[in-house]
Amino acid sequence: MTAFLTLAALVLLLLFALGLVRMALGPTRADRIQAVQLSGTTTVGILLLLSEALAMPALVHVALVFVLFAALIAVAFVRHPRSQE
Amino acid sequence: MMVFDSLLALIIAALAWRCVTVRDLFQAIVTFIVLGLMLALSWTRLDAPDLALAEAGIGAGLLGVLLLSTWRVVRDAGPDQGEGPPPSPWVRTAAAVGSIALGTAFAVVLHTVEVDSDRAGGLALESLGEAGVEQPVTAVLLNFRSYDTLLELGVLLMALIGAVLLRSPLIHRPAAEDTGTESPLLPVLVTVFTPLVLLMGTFLVWAGAHSPGGAFQGGAVLAGAGVMLVLGGRLGGDAQVSLLLRALLILGVSVFTVIGLLLMPLEGAFMAYPEGLVYPLMVTIEFSLALSIGLTLLLLFTGTNGLRGAPA
Amino acid sequence: MTHWMAALLITAGLVFFLAGTVGLLRFPDAFTRLHALTKADNTGLGLLAAGVAVLALTWQLVLLIALTWLLAAMASSIACHLVARHGLHHDNHEETRE
């Protein structure tokens, strides 16, 4: 089973590399941010697979942190930090 | 696994290269964020989930958000903000040669260092029973090597003071551009995610005693919750500092030092903890550290010395 | 038995990830690409998480994996809306300023 999980993680990593092409091509910023979102999801997938393959349950925590910060990055893309003087 | 690691290394190298060479600032930032994702993965492959958490929270997460926000502010300020003429080829060549020389020197020096068969690491693992916590990294950070952690916190505070002194007036402009065009779902995201991020941060601090996590990772995630509120417009930077905020900022350093000093007469050494009390002391220290770290990082993001709730 | 189920779920998840990535590369503009993206995010990660959860040893871990997927699905759908809306209003003139 470990071999299968590792293989699946490898496939995801390959897809990640493919998705980077869109990040480099653009053409708009929305495209690039979308590529980042997809690569974030792919990384979460890889982490879930590795947590089982390497028997490291803590990797699920790392995946969860990534999910939360991916949302934050999307918000940062569309919003200004505001402050009042 | 070999193929996986090789591909990972290749992607990291390619991303790092592109991050430095790409001309467009936005692309460089986006590449940097993705590079953070891959670095976190490589830390997990190196058996260091603690660092993967730190990289996820600080490297890819907080830093990515900070860079994106800075980019927006700089772009909106107009095209000629800080755009000097590009340095001459001579300067660039000199910089490249200098960097290569420095890197080579470091490589040579590090190569000649005699590694004493990992003695410190072995010692730490052997005496883990006395540390009060099961997680080796937390034991080293808060017990065996607590001086270092205390000084790191001092550095973080210094960084904040520097950032507040240097703060750019740009960040204080109201954002007119966003109004009316943004998604009505944004408040939903902020409302639902902020408590969850807070919970996750607290959990990571708590989990530091027995699994990867701890004050730094938890603090970074706590700061993430604050950043979410700032971006959602519910919290803003302020020039006024409240006493409470100041107290929270130095809470970590003070609790760390006070506990270390109070127990000195009992244990005979600074920052030595009595046998039975180690665990509760560690948790107290860890939570106060995390609060201070989180707040410091949040203030580094807003670039102000205070915070206040935004008017609705 | 559980192994086969997990393998099946994970493979199905990978297919969705593949579809999402190909869509991201091949679809003509940012708005159709969003469509590809959400497939990978929601269904792909969902199937993959289900596959890993089948193999998980403790129920705490299963809940944690489920939470990860739930939050990812929610975050990605809202993030897509934010990005699309932003693109609709700003992107036409943004990239030309370089």
Side-chain angles (χ1 to χ4, degrees):
Chain A
M1 203 60 209
T2 313
F4 173 76
L5 290 173
T6 314
L7 188 70
L10 181 64
V11 171
L12 278 187
L13 197 63
L14 279 170
L15 290 178
F16 179 99
L18 270 180
L20 291 182
V21 175
R22 174 54 69 199
M23 202 183 78
L25 286 179
T28 66
R29 297 203 168 106
D31 287 306
R32 300 191 209 278
I33 278 290
Q34 280 178 47
V36 172
Q37 297 284 329
L38 181 66
S39 55
T41 309
T42 313
T43 312
V44 169
I46 296 176
L47 282 170
L48 288 182
L49 289 171
L50 287 186
S51 79
E52 192 59 39
L54 305 173
M56 282 163 86
L59 293 192
V60 180
H61 301 168
V62 183
L64 206 48
V65 170
F66 267 134
V67 167
L68 296 174
F69 274 103
L72 203 53
I73 280 174
V75 177
F77 174 62
V78 300
R79 285 283 283 214
H80 260 289
R82 293 148 200 250
S83 59
Q84 304 85 34
E85 276 286 83
Chain B
M1 223 59 216
M2 185 70 198
V3 189
F4 184 87
D5 291 345
S6 316
L7 184 60
L8 189 58
L10 215 67
I11 292 178
I12 288 177
L15 280 174
W17 177 254
R18 183 157 175 83
C19 190
V20 181
T21 53
V22 73
R23 287 220 166 262
D24 177 29
L25 197 55
F26 182 77
Q27 280 198 56
I29 293 170
V30 166
T31 314
F32 180 79
I33 295 172
V34 178
L35 177 64
L37 296 176
M38 286 295 100
L39 284 180
L41 265 189
S42 76
W43 285 123
T44 69
R45 290 296 301 126
L46 291 170
D47 256 340
D50 288 88
L51 284 172
L53 267 177
E55 181 65 43
I58 301 175
L62 273 186
L63 212 49
V65 172
L66 184 64
L67 288 174
L68 269 180
S69 294
T70 311
W71 168 77
R72 287 203 62 151
V73 171
V74 170
R75 185 203 55 178
D76 289 352
D80 52 8
Q81 281 292 324
E83 287 268 332
S88 74
W90 287 109
V91 176
R92 280 186 280 173
T93 315
V97 170
S99 313
I100 290 171
L102 192 66
T104 318
F106 269 126
V108 169
V109 170
L110 284 179
H111 194 69
T112 54
V113 170
E114 287 276 332
V115 181
D116 200 0
S117 66
D118 198 22
R119 248 191 75 224
L123 252 160
L125 279 179
E126 272 169 35
S127 39
L128 198 58
E130 301 157 29
V133 286
E134 304 158 35
Q135 165 73 359
V137 178
T138 309
V140 169
L141 279 181
L142 289 190
N143 202 339
F144 302 146
R145 217 198 58 182
S146 41
Y147 277 98
D148 202 35
T149 309
L150 183 64
L151 291 180
E152 268 167 26
L153 275 159
V155 170
L156 202 58
L157 268 181
M158 289 299 156
L160 177 63
I161 293 169
V164 169
L165 286 176
L166 282 174
R167 77 177 190 273
S168 148
L170 289 174
I171 207 117
H172 293 283
R173 290 159 10 103
E177 172 205 7
D178 288 340
T179 43
T181 63
E182 63 194 16
S183 161
L185 285 175
L186 185 72
V188 180
L189 188 72
V190 175
T191 307
V192 174
F193 267 66
T194 308
L196 283 168
V197 179
L198 278 177
L199 183 67
M200 187 68 197
T202 319
F203 167 72
L204 283 180
V205 183
W206 175 254
H210 50 83
S211 69
F216 283 92
Q217 290 88 343
V221 175
L222 287 179
V227 170
M228 190 79 127
L229 287 177
V230 171
L231 289 173
R234 304 190 187 182
L235 201 65
D238 193 17
Q240 307 291 323
V241 208
S242 69
L243 199 61
L244 176 70
L245 206 69
R246 277 192 199 164
L248 282 177
L249 273 179
I250 57 161
L251 182 73
V253 181
S254 344
V255 168
F256 216 162
T257 324
V258 167
I259 288 182
L261 282 176
L262 277 183
L263 293 174
M264 231 170 110
L266 286 175
E267 293 292 307
F270 182 51
M271 286 183 164
Y273 311 125
E275 194 79 29
L277 277 177
V278 179
Y279 184 70
L281 283 179
M282 295 276 243
V283 172
T284 316
I285 294 173
E286 187 124 54
F287 269 97
S288 38
L289 287 185
L291 265 179
S292 293
I293 292 170
L295 200 59
T296 312
L297 291 176
L298 176 58
L299 287 177
L300 277 172
F301 178 75
T302 61
T304 55
N305 43 10
L307 287 172
R308 70 162 158 208
Chain C
M1 181 59 202
T2 41
H3 278 189
W4 283 109
M5 213 156 87
L8 195 71
L9 283 168
I10 291 173
T11 314
L14 287 182
V15 170
F16 275 92
F17 267 103
L18 177 69
T21 310
V22 170
L24 188 74
L25 289 176
R26 297 279 300 150
F27 278 154
D29 63 62
F31 301 106
T32 45
R33 280 179 211 134
L34 282 174
H35 174 67
L37 192 59
T38 41
K39 299 298 157 294
D41 273 346
N42 297 336
T43 325
L45 191 62
L47 288 168
L48 197 128
V52 177
V54 167
L55 296 172
L57 295 175
T58 59
W59 61 269
Q60 287 99 329
L61 205 55
V62 173
L63 279 184
L64 213 56
I65 292 170
L67 184 68
T68 308
W69 170 68
L70 206 67
L71 287 178
M74 195 175 150
S76 85
S77 45
I78 294 183
C80 276
H81 191 241
L82 293 181
V83 171
R85 190 129 172 164
H86 184 85
L88 205 59
H89 286 279
H90 300 292
D91 251 357
N92 298 335
H93 48 88
E94 247 181 356
E95 197 89 346
T96 52
R97 211 193 274 173
E98 241 46 66

